[in-house]
Amino acid sequence: MLRTQVGIVGAGPAGLLLSLMLQRRGIDSVIIEARDREAIEATIRAGILEQSTVDLMAELGVADRLRREGVVHEGTILRFGGRNHRIDFKELTGGRVATLYPQHEVLKDLIAARLAQGGRILFGTKVNEVADVGTAAPVIRFAGADGAAGELRCDVVIGADGSYGACRPAIPADRRRDFLRIYPFGWFGILCEAPVSSEELIYARHERGFALISSRTPEVQRMYFQCDPNDSVENWSEDRIWAELQARVAGEDGFRLKQGRIFQKNIVPMRSFVCEPMQYGRLFLAGDAAHAVPPTGAKGLNLAASDVWHLDRALGAFFADGSTALMEGYSAAALRRVWRAQHFSWWMTSMLHRFPDASEFDDRRQLAELELVTGTMPAATSLAQTYVGMPFG
Ligand code: DHB
């Protein structure tokens, strides 16, 4: 049996950032994580960080490698009608930028920092039950890496265990409301050994569907194209993938992607999801456990950081003098940004993808919207501000 003040389920960005923030306040936490450290660090993930996420990591002293290896993006490209249209984040937001630094790199840095503090992270440990969250003494029951049963008793439980974790179901169904939208397409993602095709990310709208050109390192590129969510990667040879990607970015300017060996393929489903409220008794949800966004606009990790920014203040007040006002207001405070990000991700997705039932009217309307966003200052500023993100809180 273990005991701590804050029991955190999930060593993702939300759980790890929170444990580091709580440490600054002298609040003890234990993280329980189902996966192994090696598996977490080896899973290649998406990676745009908002300015506030970068600032938070810097404050926590975990931004050294991010500063060296992260790639600052002062703008992004919306590509449609066969041409690039640039959104200048820096100019439109008074100096704020986005940083490309993939989530698995963030996780490596956060895990190393937390372990160096002597923080307890139980890897390979599966949660069987989150119980008594309606009382002041919740308990997390788990099976350890060796299979032995264990218990973590705590004052507060943080559910940071992703979309399919054990924490959200611990909120009684009649005490929460789920909002879900499933999109009629997915993203086919590849990693390839090739030089960078574009210094800035390209979000491309094409009659054949959306494509996104991103990067991982100077030698490894990440690209996606809209696909049938029920398609299988086996149906796509390397040649077929390149033909599709080239078609979706082709245009009068003669732009071509630099090709190379594809060494990973996957299909990501697309959905928007919110659970309200994000808390029940002494259980507080953060990150994907409470909400999911379609990847267009890269808000997922940043929302997790915003959630735990609120939780850190709420738990700080609670453990300092027992005050519960910020804890009680957590869900309402966090949901404001969650719904802003939901709107943004849905909007970017709708503007750039081809829906199966789209008419010619829809095509023209989509193009008019893209002209507005890239051709007028107020609309471009709105996109830029939301993309680089407003300060937390
Ligand atoms: C990446 C993913 C995104 O969803 C996005 O909007 C930008 C970049 C990526 O994997 O690099």
Side-chain angles (χ1 to χ4, degrees):
M1 208 212 15
L2 298 169
R3 154 95 215 145
T4 187
Q5 289 172 289
V6 181
I8 300 175
V9 186
L16 288 161
L17 281 171
L18 183 61
S19 70
L20 289 164
M21 283 191 275
L22 293 176
Q23 177 73 30
R24 290 195 297 193
R25 299 180 185 274
I27 298 171
D28 187 56
S29 66
V30 172
I31 301 180
I32 299 181
E33 165 59 48
R35 303 177 74 200
D36 298 335
R37 182 178 181 185
E38 295 70 32
I40 294 171
E41 297 189 348
T43 308
I44 297 189
R45 294 181 167 255
I48 288 280
L49 305 184
E50 291 181 9
Q51 183 77 59
S52 297
T53 305
V54 171
D55 294 346
L56 175 60
M57 287 180 65
E59 256 179 51
L60 291 168
V62 290
D64 291 349
R65 204 161 64 90
L66 161 62
R67 286 225 179 75
R68 283 198 310 274
E69 297 175 19
V71 180
V72 168
H73 284 242
E74 296 185 358
T76 198
I77 309 289
L78 298 188
R79 186 169 171 83
F80 58 93
R83 286 199 303 123
N84 283 351
H85 306 258
R86 182 164 188 267
I87 304 279
D88 191 325
F89 299 149
K90 202 167 185 183
E91 193 174 293
L92 292 166
T93 66
R96 292 168 79 81
V97 294
T99 303
L100 183 66
Y101 188 69
Q103 176 168 329
H104 55 281
E105 302 298 343
V106 172
L107 292 176
K108 284 183 203 168
D109 298 343
L110 299 182
I111 290 169
R114 184 63 190 133
L115 293 178
Q117 291 175 340
R120 288 181 285 175
I121 308 176
L122 313 181
F123 289 104
T125 300
K126 298 206 170 40
V127 169
N128 293 323
E129 190 190 11
V130 178
D132 302 336
V133 291
T135 74
V139 55
I140 304 169
R141 301 203 169 86
F142 58 83
D146 56 3
E151 254 185 35
L152 174 63
R153 295 184 172 271
C154 40
D155 300 309
V156 173
V157 175
I158 304 300
D161 51 347
S163 300
Y164 305 103
C167 288
R168 191 173 64 248
I171 302 181
D174 62 352
R175 301 298 294 270
R176 64 171 212 259
R177 210 169 145 206
D178 292 348
F179 299 82
L180 173 67
R181 169 174 296 229
I182 294 173
Y183 297 85
F185 39 73
W187 277 11
F188 195 113
I190 62 155
L191 284 164
C192 65
E193 286 165 3
V196 172
S197 285
S198 167
E199 289 304 322
E200 292 181 336
L201 262 59
I202 300 178
Y203 290 87
R205 183 248 177 227
H206 190 273
E207 288 68 32
R208 299 182 66 87
F210 171 75
L212 170 59
I213 311 305
S214 182
S215 180
R216 283 295 169 270
T217 66
E219 298 82 29
V220 173
Q221 309 314 318
R222 182 73 162 144
M223 304 183 193
Y224 305 89
F225 59 93
Q226 174 185 348
C227 68
D228 180 333
N230 301 313
D231 207 341
S232 160
V233 294
E234 273 73 53
N235 294 332
W236 290 81
S237 67
E238 199 156 315
D239 286 349
R240 185 174 174 214
I241 292 171
W242 282 120
E244 192 60 43
L245 276 166
Q246 296 287 13
R248 293 193 190 190
V249 299
E252 60 192 37
D253 59 2
F255 178 73
R256 297 273 303 165
L257 296 167
K258 300 199 173 98
Q259 299 184 187
R261 188 179 75 87
I262 295 171
F263 63 92
Q264 202 204 81
K265 311 186 245 189
N266 67 324
I267 292 179
V268 198
M270 306 263 288
R271 59 201 192 95
S272 302
F273 173 76
V274 180
C275 165
E276 285 192 13
M278 293 166 58
Q279 66 195 81
Y280 173 72
R282 290 288 182 88
L283 170 64
F284 299 85
L285 304 179
D288 283 2
H291 41 72
V293 286
T296 332
K299 285 288 165 230
L301 184 157
N302 298 292
L303 268 189
S306 159
D307 287 350
V308 295
W309 183 90
H310 287 285
L311 278 174
D312 168 55
R313 295 174 72 225
L315 296 173
F318 176 66
F319 286 107
D321 61 13
S323 66
T324 56
L326 287 179
M327 289 217 312
E328 281 157 17
Y330 164 65
S331 181
L335 280 168
R336 277 197 289 277
R337 194 186 189 91
V338 168
W339 278 110
R340 275 286 308 271
Q342 287 292 350
H343 171 262
F344 181 72
S345 308
W346 163 85
W347 173 67
M348 288 281 281
T349 301
S350 309
M351 182 167 65
L352 291 161
H353 288 70
R354 182 160 180 104
F355 284 73
D357 60 355
S359 64
E360 285 184 349
F361 177 88
D362 295 315
D363 286 345
R364 297 287 200 283
R365 180 187 47 73
Q366 233 176 15
L367 287 168
E369 188 166 25
L370 283 160
E371 294 280 358
L372 175 76
V373 166
T374 54
T376 68
M377 188 85 119
T381 306
S382 168
L383 189 155
Q385 276 181 347
T386 313
Y387 197 99
V388 301
M390 304 298 265
F392 295 147

